[in-house]
Amino acid sequence: MSGFYFFQSRAKVQLLCACLIVLSIFLLLVHQTRNVDHNELPDQTEKLQQLITREIRLLHQSGKTYNLMEESDGQSIFNNKDECTLDYMNTNKLPQDHPCVIETIRKHYLNKPSPPDVPLKLDTEDDHDRSPGQTGVIFRLLKNQTKGFFVECGALNGEFMSNTIDLERKFNWGGILIEANPETFKKLISRNRKAWTLPACLSLEPFPTQVTFQMKVGDPGHSHIEGAAKTLQKPGIPGVDPDLVTVQCFPFYSILLAVGQTQVDFFSLDVEGHELKILKTIPWHKVDIKSLTVEWDHIPEGQEALIRFMEESGFIKIGAFDFLWSRDVIFIKDLINIH
């Protein structure tokens, strides 16, 4: 996807400053070249271009907010290429909108959606809803919207218990599928989903992190980041992989920026206990999310803490699922969506 971003208010100010700098340089050089022989003008033009490039580079380096979607002909949007490494990014806790973070996601983690003419590879071809019920509810809440945009974190293999596959194959939705379990992700990417796929986890902090991840061989749906989640088990227990793995995590907002999409119609979040921490990293004033389903069963703070935070963030709880495989709370941005 090649779309490019809106400036935030600070970025707009920086752009105005850059324009003023460029205009000042231009007027100065025009004044200096009034009495210059026309044969010297190419040299003056080259000097002007060099000065403009230098001033804009200095402006970007001095600011903390960036025009993240300004990318030219495959060139790096991060000035110090040698420093843009995972170690540098994680150690320095680079902000969610830092060009190094965005570029790293784009170049090394994002997989493009499969072309429309490439058929899906599903285990079964029947028409039944793969989700425990979320897809139908969200579809009705959004007034049968077609060609929407979803984000599903905890996407598993892209079919089993998927909250988004039917939005994609029946109603032409696109989106982002995030799955941290490296073994499960291999199956996900083989499905030919018409969505971006990302082999990573969502960060529990507003900056990139690396975490220890516990895979459950017999129950991949309960694989998760090692931590305070109730489902954490010690290696050696049947169904639990004895080897913990290191997984890279990125903030939710960073991933949205990497694909050029800050408007999300449906966000499905199921990460076995860390949902509230992830939600607290999102700059809600910079994104437009219409609806969410959030698993609450393993959140240490409990369902009430989740609901309270989401209400403070401008959302309304309109219901919940309490099934064997799904204990989710459903949120919408406002009541307009259900009329």
Side-chain angles (χ1 to χ4, degrees):
M1 186 177 295
S2 60
F4 291 83
Y5 273 11
F6 341 117
F7 287 96
Q8 303 302 330
S9 58
R10 185 181 296 178
K12 290 180 180 178
V13 172
Q14 290 180 334
L15 176 61
L16 178 59
C17 292
C19 292
L20 291 175
I21 291 170
V22 171
L23 179 60
S24 299
I25 296 170
F26 179 77
L27 292 175
L28 177 62
L29 288 177
V30 168
H31 175 75
Q32 291 176 342
T33 57
R34 281 179 177 173
N35 299 318
V36 175
D37 186 272
H38 288 290
N39 292 329
E40 297 179 8
L41 288 179
D43 292 336
Q44 296 293 339
T45 301
E46 183 177 351
K47 290 179 180 179
L48 173 62
Q49 292 174 338
Q50 292 174 352
L51 284 170
I52 291 173
T53 302
R54 176 178 176 275
E55 293 300 328
I56 291 177
R57 183 183 298 115
L58 289 174
L59 180 67
H60 281 180
Q61 290 175 343
S62 64
K64 293 184 179 180
T65 303
Y66 308 85
N67 173 15
L68 299 172
M69 302 309 298
E70 184 174 325
E71 191 175 39
S72 57
D73 300 327
Q75 294 181 350
S76 172
I77 60 173
F78 185 59
N79 290 327
N80 300 317
K81 294 181 183 180
D82 293 338
E83 289 185 354
C84 187
T85 64
L86 282 178
D87 286 342
Y88 177 84
M89 183 178 63
N90 294 327
T91 301
N92 290 279
K93 299 180 179 180
L94 296 186
Q96 306 184 64
D97 62 352
H98 195 285
C100 177
V101 178
I102 309 308
E103 184 171 280
T104 299
I105 295 171
R106 286 181 183 165
K107 288 191 172 183
H108 303 294
Y109 286 87
L110 272 182
N111 298 279
K112 293 182 179 181
S114 293
D117 59 341
V118 176
L120 291 168
K121 291 184 178 179
L122 304 180
D123 292 335
T124 59
E125 298 295 335
D126 60 78
D127 201 44
H128 79 274
D129 185 357
R130 299 296 198 269
S131 77
Q134 289 89 332
T135 301
V137 170
I138 293 299
F139 188 60
R140 289 192 294 274
L141 285 174
L142 297 181
K143 295 176 280 192
N144 301 333
Q145 179 179 342
T146 59
K147 299 181 179 179
F149 191 89
F150 59 73
V151 178
E152 184 172 12
C153 185
L156 295 177
N157 66 12
E159 178 179 5
F160 176 69
M161 302 290 288
S162 173
N163 289 342
T164 60
I165 180 62
D166 286 290
L167 292 172
E168 178 183 314
R169 65 176 180 156
K170 297 177 183 178
F171 306 111
N172 297 315
W173 282 48
I176 308 171
L177 300 168
I178 304 168
E179 176 54 48
N181 186 325
E183 293 302 317
T184 308
F185 184 80
K186 293 177 183 177
K187 297 179 181 178
L188 165 62
I189 203 170
S190 71
R191 302 288 186 196
N192 296 332
R193 292 285 302 264
K194 314 309 178 211
W196 297 91
T197 54
L198 193 77
C201 51
L202 290 183
S203 180
L204 310 184
E205 305 289 347
F207 47 80
T209 57
Q210 280 192 341
V211 298
T212 301
F213 187 82
Q214 186 173 65
M215 297 190 297
K216 293 194 173 183
V217 178
D219 185 10
H222 284 151
S223 300
H224 56 79
I225 294 172
E226 186 179 18
K230 296 177 182 178
T231 52
L232 182 65
Q233 298 180 22
K234 295 181 179 180
I237 295 176
V240 177
D241 195 312
D243 296 321
L244 301 177
V245 297
T246 299
V247 176
Q248 179 64 40
C249 299
F250 296 102
F252 175 76
Y253 183 53
S254 303
I255 295 171
L256 292 184
L257 295 181
V259 301
Q261 184 78 28
T262 55
Q263 292 185 325
V264 178
D265 297 297
F266 172 42
F267 178 24
S268 172
L269 181 60
D270 181 352
V271 291
E272 302 304 311
H274 296 296
E275 289 82 359
L276 184 54
K277 289 182 179 179
I278 289 170
L279 292 170
K280 287 182 176 181
T281 71
I282 299 175
W284 295 100
H285 62 292
K286 295 183 179 181
V287 298
D288 180 12
I289 301 177
K290 290 183 180 179
S291 63
L292 303 89
T293 58
V294 183
E295 186 182 54
W296 60 267
D297 192 29
H298 304 299
I299 296 177
E301 299 89 342
Q303 181 181 168
E304 291 306 316
L306 169 65
I307 295 171
R308 184 166 57 251
F309 173 78
M310 292 303 296
E311 288 177 345
E312 292 171 353
S313 302
F315 289 83
I316 300 169
K317 174 193 171 184
I318 61 158
F321 291 96
D322 193 1
F323 303 142
L324 175 64
W325 297 103
S326 179
R327 305 189 77 182
D328 292 3
V329 182
I330 308 165
F331 298 98
I332 59 169
K333 188 65 175 290
D334 54 56
L335 288 174
I336 294 174
N337 289 323
I338 63 174
H339 292 325

